[in-house]
Amino acid sequence: MPLSSQESATPLSMFDILGFTIPYELTYTNILNILDLSGIPLRSEERGIAYPLIIGGGSAVFNPEPMADFFDAIVMGDGEEVITEIIDCYQKWKEEKGKKDELLRLLSGIEGVYVPSLFHVEYKGDGNIKSVTPVGNAAEKVKRRIIASLDKASFPVRHIVPYARAVHDRLTVEITRGCTHGCRFCQAGITCRPVRERSPEVIEDIVRRAISATGYEDVSLASLSTGDYSSLLPLLNRLMNSYREKRVSFSLPSLRVGTLSHSVLKEIKRTRKTGFTIAPEAGTERLRRVINKPISEDELLKTVADVYREGWRSIKFYFMLGLPTEEIKDLDGIIGLTGRAMMIGRGLKGGKRKIRISLSTFVPKPHTPFQWIGQIPGEEIAERQRYLRSRLRKGDIDLQMQHPEISLLEALLSRGDRRVGRLIERAWNLGCRFDGWTEVFSYERWKKAFIESGIDPLFYAHRNIAVEETLPWDHIDTGVTKDFLVSEFEKARSLVTTPDCRYGDCCNCGVCIDGGSGEIRPFIAEVIGMDAEAEQHPDKERSVTPDYFRVRMKYKKEGEIKHISQLEFMSSIFRAINRGGIPIAFSEGFHPHPRVSLGHALPCGMESSAEYFDMVLLSGMRPSRLAGILNEELPDGIRIVSAGQLHPGSPSLSSSITGLAYVVDLGGPVSSIDMIIEEFMKRGEIQIRRVSKSGEQDVDIRPMLLEIKPMGRNGVFMFLECINDVHCRPQEVLQEIFRGCAGIPPSFAIKRIGQYIKRAEKWYDPIDLCATNTNSHSTGYQGGEEEATQAYGLYVEEPTTKPTQVAE
């Protein structure tokens, strides 16, 4: 089965263009895997016009050479404008029925598009690059594409919202692009210049439309240094006030020490607080001057104290290991700074505080002042890690470190040339996938690939490179001059810092272009005012919502959506409520949540035609209208089938539902199934052993089996009762029914068809106990075969053999 697209299930090989965003070098093998799973040849030279055009872009392509053999074209820089130009170019070429080499030449004429096959690389006898020469009419250098204004750039507001939980499962809005603080290890600080801010009014409009379209309850205001945004405090203030009642939280993922104020901290803490991240990078002021991050220890500790006083209980420190000129004193600086931060936390009231330390290894990145400096050897990295681990005592400090082998591989791929492509392909052939995931990463496979491909990792990762040497990425023009990088390299050796040009004189990096239609300049948005109402009532408390309008929903969960878990289903419900504009009530406390409660959890992978959840609303709505709104917003496969308003004080679903009905599709006929079930139900005791974290326990499930009946020869109906909060799982019942039986199909499909509340020895559908509901007839438990056929539509097949004819 070929890999296919998400929305239309079209095989990827049938598309005209297949584009990869590449955020990280250790995803390279995944790209080859995707191509292979799609039936697309890996190498550009092997793909004719019958295959898609393979293009790439993103933050990890500014040294495109390791992946040059696999891509037809790679975009350098901002993609908002260039993607439409690529599509227009492709469309015109397709209409003219041209050859592939003609398409590649046309694409190379678009600013920002690099076509690897139009550059020839020649090497010296010592392995260094002799020259990188354009072929034909290709330009000598490929200029990075830069958009002048974020306000004019398109921004997607209808994000894909996953039902399964994903990493960074939130709405991300870029408020600034570019950073000129000039940290000398940071590639993005070079390749994203100049600073361009999005106007506050545009950001507010994007947030409004995106939340309405997606229902996200978490918004990240993203940039390389969010604290430098000129209107941060008034923007945050306005957003917090606009979405206070909906409990939408706003996070600032990249806050530089020195840009934080008490006012910003107070705004952030108005919604859910999680951890707080501070990035000193180095343990001493000397080393911070080397990397051009001149932050004093006093500033760092003041920030720690401010964060703790505002209510945060956990702080995360980012440090880098193996930075140029690092000494043992710098490692001791990490230990000392962490210890002093812990002392601040202990000196404050309110319980224990935690510090998490993330310690990554320095990787020399292309187009940075440190691109010429080799990474320290893996043995030295491991020794420094041991030194820190032995001195940072455990308990309130959580220390996370990167594997030295992963750091070595990242450095190799970051500084590799075109020859490294054969290493990547060989590693993929040996089974390397998801190399950035420690539980999957296999250095043994990579070591074998080093040998078989003839690539020496030390040549690329650990070697110091002469400034005059031709680099694999020298033909990529980021806009920042090589002279500027050399100057910053020399300043690092002399402990000289370079100020941010936003707040001082121009540092002559070369990226800005004055005048003409192609003018590229920093853009700082106009500062807006604070919300007037918030200034008058900054700490206005929300009123407690009375429990006066509760509704109950009955829904089906069928088809592929059965594979999402109960927690993921809850997220889907919350987002459907947000998209539908339903006035949901929230819980109080530190982490407010929508007041939605579910019944018994449906196991992942099981379908159901009778699931329930209760909601508390701020204002009254007709249950039928509420169901209609939710059905418009819920995922395919989840559908509200009835709704009702609850009586005041009604008990929760999980405490009141004690009857559960299931049907089982056995996947094939089972001979004499009626006799097997009849004998099973005659047993007076059915002991099963359950294993949990607390140990093993024997449970007699026989009293919980109220009714079990065959449904033809390939189906089973069962009605189970929960007794004293002890549940009986249908899988356990099936195991016991067919234990020792031959000829049983290997897998069963179980579907829940009913949940019931017991009142006066009668079983009722939870919807029937509402004050008002949309049910046209009672759906209380009616028993066995009738129940299964009515609620499930299960076939009831007449047996083709007599019960006495038992198959061996």
Side-chain angles (χ1 to χ4, degrees):
M1 180 179 177
L3 191 62
S4 301
S5 65
Q6 181 174 352
E7 294 90 347
S8 61
T10 303
L12 298 192
S13 59
M14 294 179 63
F15 282 85
D16 290 318
I17 302 173
L18 184 58
F20 290 88
T21 296
I22 311 171
Y24 183 38
E25 292 84 358
L26 296 189
T27 61
Y28 286 166
T29 53
N30 282 11
I31 294 170
L32 302 192
N33 205 41
I34 289 170
L35 293 175
D36 179 68
L37 291 173
S38 307
I40 299 171
L42 302 185
R43 292 179 170 265
S44 174
E45 62 187 14
E46 298 170 351
R47 297 190 294 265
I49 60 175
Y51 293 102
L53 178 76
I54 307 299
I55 63 175
S59 55
V61 301
F62 285 99
N63 176 17
E65 294 308 288
M67 294 295 286
D69 291 336
F70 310 112
F71 280 94
D72 297 316
I74 301 173
V75 172
M76 300 294 157
D78 300 334
E80 288 94 337
E81 296 171 346
V82 72
I83 188 65
T84 57
E85 295 172 20
I86 290 173
I87 292 169
D88 291 342
C89 178
Y90 185 94
Q91 207 157 13
K92 183 179 179 183
W93 166 83
K94 190 175 182 180
E95 290 169 358
E96 295 175 355
K97 299 181 179 179
K99 297 179 179 179
K100 183 175 178 178
D101 58 348
E102 294 171 351
L103 172 62
L104 298 181
R105 281 196 296 271
L106 289 170
L107 290 171
S108 70
I110 299 173
E111 185 175 291
V113 177
Y114 171 53
V115 178
S117 62
L118 297 183
F119 286 81
H120 174 70
V121 184
E122 192 174 353
Y123 299 93
K124 298 178 184 177
D126 61 1
N128 292 328
I129 293 175
K130 181 179 180 180
S131 63
V132 180
T133 311
V135 177
N137 296 324
E140 288 190 9
K141 290 201 170 190
V142 178
K143 289 183 63 177
R144 173 170 69 100
R145 189 64 175 264
I146 304 173
I147 60 170
S149 170
L150 289 189
D151 285 349
K152 296 178 181 177
S154 61
F155 191 92
V157 294
R158 297 192 65 83
H159 294 249
I160 292 175
V161 181
Y163 302 133
R165 183 159 294 180
V167 178
H168 304 304
D169 192 13
R170 63 180 73 99
L171 174 65
T172 300
V173 179
E174 185 187 30
I175 65 173
T176 304
R177 188 171 302 175
C179 174
T180 45
H181 278 295
C183 298
R184 291 172 178 141
F185 58 83
C186 180
Q187 186 184 58
I190 297 295
T191 58
C192 294
R193 294 187 180 207
V195 171
R196 289 146 291 162
E197 293 187 349
R198 209 171 238 118
S199 299
E201 297 81 8
V202 175
I203 295 169
E204 289 182 85
D205 181 63
I206 289 171
V207 170
R208 177 185 58 79
R209 291 188 293 132
I211 288 178
S212 175
T214 64
Y216 272 123
E217 62 282 346
D218 294 299
V219 180
S220 175
L221 303 179
S223 80
L224 294 174
S225 181
T226 304
D228 285 301
Y229 182 73
S230 58
S231 282
L232 179 61
L233 182 56
L235 172 66
L236 200 55
N237 174 260
R238 288 187 179 192
L239 291 173
M240 292 287 191
N241 290 333
S242 297
Y243 297 97
R244 177 171 51 191
E245 295 304 324
K246 291 186 177 181
R247 302 303 201 275
V248 175
S249 68
F250 292 86
S251 61
L252 310 179
S254 182
L255 290 168
R256 185 182 173 95
V257 173
T259 63
L260 286 170
S261 65
H262 284 291
S263 300
V264 170
L265 288 172
K266 285 183 180 296
E267 288 294 337
I268 298 171
K269 77 171 189 176
R270 286 170 60 185
T271 52
R272 293 185 292 273
K273 290 195 292 290
T274 52
F276 198 97
T277 301
I278 299 173
E281 311 293 1
T284 62
E285 293 182 21
R286 181 202 70 82
L287 191 53
R288 289 195 287 272
R289 292 183 69 83
V290 170
I291 64 176
N292 203 44
K293 199 163 187 177
I295 302 167
S296 70
E297 185 164 305
D298 288 343
E299 285 182 281
L300 285 166
L301 294 177
K302 180 181 180 300
T303 301
V304 169
D306 290 344
V307 170
Y308 278 149
R309 287 194 186 101
E310 291 299 336
W312 275 268
R313 313 195 63 77
S314 174
I315 289 180
K316 184 174 185 179
F317 279 150
Y318 271 122
F319 289 105
M320 296 183 76
L321 192 68
L323 285 164
T325 78
E326 184 180 78
E327 303 169 351
I328 193 70
K329 291 180 181 177
D330 302 303
L331 302 184
D332 290 335
I334 293 175
I335 298 164
L337 178 61
T338 304
R340 286 184 281 280
M342 287 299 304
M343 291 299 293
I344 290 172
R346 292 191 187 116
L348 298 172
K349 295 180 180 179
K352 293 176 68 174
R353 270 79 170 180
K354 280 190 72 74
I355 287 184
R356 297 170 59 205
I357 297 176
S358 178
L359 196 68
S360 62
T361 302
F362 164 71
V363 174
K365 292 288 186 176
H367 306 287
T368 68
F370 288 164
Q371 64 184 349
W372 294 283
I373 301 176
Q375 186 183 69
I376 62 174
E379 300 80 14
E380 181 64 24
I381 294 172
E383 178 59 36
R384 296 185 191 188
Q385 288 181 345
R386 283 192 292 271
Y387 182 86
L388 289 170
R389 190 180 289 113
S390 66
R391 287 159 176 79
L392 288 168
R393 70 177 186 81
K394 297 184 179 178
D396 296 339
I397 297 176
D398 178 20
L399 183 61
Q400 300 171 334
M401 298 184 182
Q402 191 176 45
H403 290 293
E405 296 86 359
I406 291 179
S407 302
L408 166 67
L409 184 59
E410 186 181 346
L412 185 164
L413 298 176
S414 293
R415 298 210 298 177
D417 54 38
R418 200 168 288 197
R419 294 170 294 189
V420 171
R422 67 175 182 257
L423 164 67
I424 296 168
E425 186 172 4
R426 185 64 196 130
W428 171 78
N429 277 318
L430 291 171
C432 292
R433 312 279 192 277
F434 291 96
D435 298 301
W437 283 254
T438 53
E439 69 272 24
V440 181
F441 177 71
S442 171
Y443 190 58
E444 292 303 313
R445 290 190 184 122
W446 277 99
K447 283 201 297 186
K448 187 176 181 182
F450 295 153
I451 296 168
E452 294 182 5
S453 62
I455 294 296
D456 178 9
L458 307 186
F459 176 80
Y460 295 98
H462 299 331
R463 183 172 63 98
N464 288 326
I465 301 173
V467 169
E468 60 274 9
E469 188 177 313
T470 299
L471 299 172
W473 52 87
D474 271 351
H475 55 299
I476 306 300
D477 180 9
T478 66
V480 176
T481 66
K482 197 167 187 177
D483 288 343
F484 174 76
L485 299 180
V486 172
S487 171
E488 288 296 297
F489 180 42
E490 297 297 336
K491 284 182 177 181
R493 292 175 169 176
S494 306
L495 303 184
V496 176
T497 60
T498 300
D500 189 337
C501 63
R502 273 177 295 190
Y503 312 115
D505 295 333
C506 174
C507 60
N508 297 312
C509 70
V511 76
C512 293
I513 301 171
D514 290 318
S517 58
E519 181 178 62
I520 300 295
R521 299 286 298 168
F523 175 78
I524 307 300
E526 184 177 343
V527 178
I528 58 174
M530 294 282 285
D531 187 300
E533 181 183 353
E535 287 188 302
Q536 294 172 12
H537 309 285
D539 299 313
K540 184 179 178 181
E541 291 292 327
R542 304 180 186 93
S543 59
V544 177
T545 303
D547 187 7
Y548 64 85
F549 194 81
R550 293 176 62 201
V551 290
R552 176 163 292 167
M553 297 286 161
K554 180 179 181 179
Y555 66 93
K556 294 181 178 181
K557 185 182 179 186
E558 299 171 327
E560 290 187 353
I561 204 70
K562 70 182 181 181
H563 297 295
I564 70 170
S565 69
Q566 186 89 332
L567 282 175
E568 291 164 340
F569 170 73
M570 285 286 281
S571 291
S572 296
I573 288 288
F574 294 164
R575 289 166 187 173
I577 289 169
N578 289 342
R579 288 194 298 270
I582 294 169
I584 191 75
F586 283 81
S587 63
E588 298 299 318
F590 201 62
H591 293 288
H593 291 288
R595 295 185 63 181
V596 177
S597 56
L598 275 68
H600 294 292
L602 184 69
C604 193
M606 186 183 293
E607 291 187 331
S608 176
S609 58
E611 294 300 299
Y612 303 84
F613 65 89
D614 293 347
M615 297 192 298
V616 180
L617 303 185
L618 291 168
S619 58
M621 287 181 79
R622 289 198 316 275
S624 59
R625 179 166 176 260
L626 194 58
I629 293 172
L630 285 173
N631 279 334
E632 287 291 320
E633 302 294 345
L634 285 168
D636 291 342
I638 297 176
R639 183 164 183 82
I640 309 292
V641 294
S642 56
Q645 181 180 347
L646 286 169
H647 293 281
S650 296
S652 67
L653 283 165
S654 57
S655 65
S656 54
I657 290 177
T658 55
L660 300 164
Y662 300 89
V663 288
V664 184
D665 182 351
L666 298 176
V670 176
S671 298
S672 64
I673 186 173
D674 49 349
M675 292 179 60
I676 293 173
I677 291 176
E678 184 179 349
E679 290 299 315
F680 174 75
M681 293 297 287
K682 287 179 181 179
R683 293 165 61 179
E685 184 180 84
I686 303 171
Q687 291 283 345
I688 64 167
R689 174 157 294 183
R690 287 179 177 169
V691 180
S692 65
K693 292 180 180 179
S694 58
E696 296 184 354
Q697 181 184 15
D698 291 327
V699 179
D700 180 13
I701 63 171
R702 182 60 186 88
M704 307 177 198
L705 311 182
L706 298 188
E707 186 175 8
I708 299 178
K709 290 186 176 182
M711 305 296 296
R713 287 194 306 145
N714 49 1
V716 175
F717 169 83
M718 59 179 73
F719 186 61
L720 312 177
E721 184 177 12
C722 170
I723 299 176
N724 297 326
D725 292 328
V726 178
H727 294 264
C728 179
R729 305 182 186 102
Q731 295 92 329
E732 295 171 330
V733 179
L734 292 169
Q735 282 183 335
E736 294 301 317
I737 290 175
F738 297 115
R739 188 180 297 279
C741 295
I744 304 301
S747 62
F748 308 139
I750 305 171
K751 183 172 184 176
R752 187 145 73 191
I753 61 168
Q755 297 188 63
Y756 303 98
I757 297 172
K758 195 173 187 179
R759 295 278 175 86
E761 300 304 312
K762 290 186 178 181
W763 294 100
Y764 294 91
D765 186 306
I767 283 289
D768 289 339
L769 298 178
C770 292
T772 61
N773 67 68
T774 57
N775 264 359
S776 58
H777 60 278
S778 173
T779 54
Y781 176 63
Q782 299 166 48
E785 191 171 296
E786 183 180 359
E787 175 74 10
T789 53
Q790 185 181 78
Y792 182 52
L794 184 77
Y795 51 86
V796 181
E797 182 180 284
E798 290 297 323
T800 55
T801 56
K802 295 180 180 179
T804 53
Q805 295 174 312
V806 182
E808 289 296 324

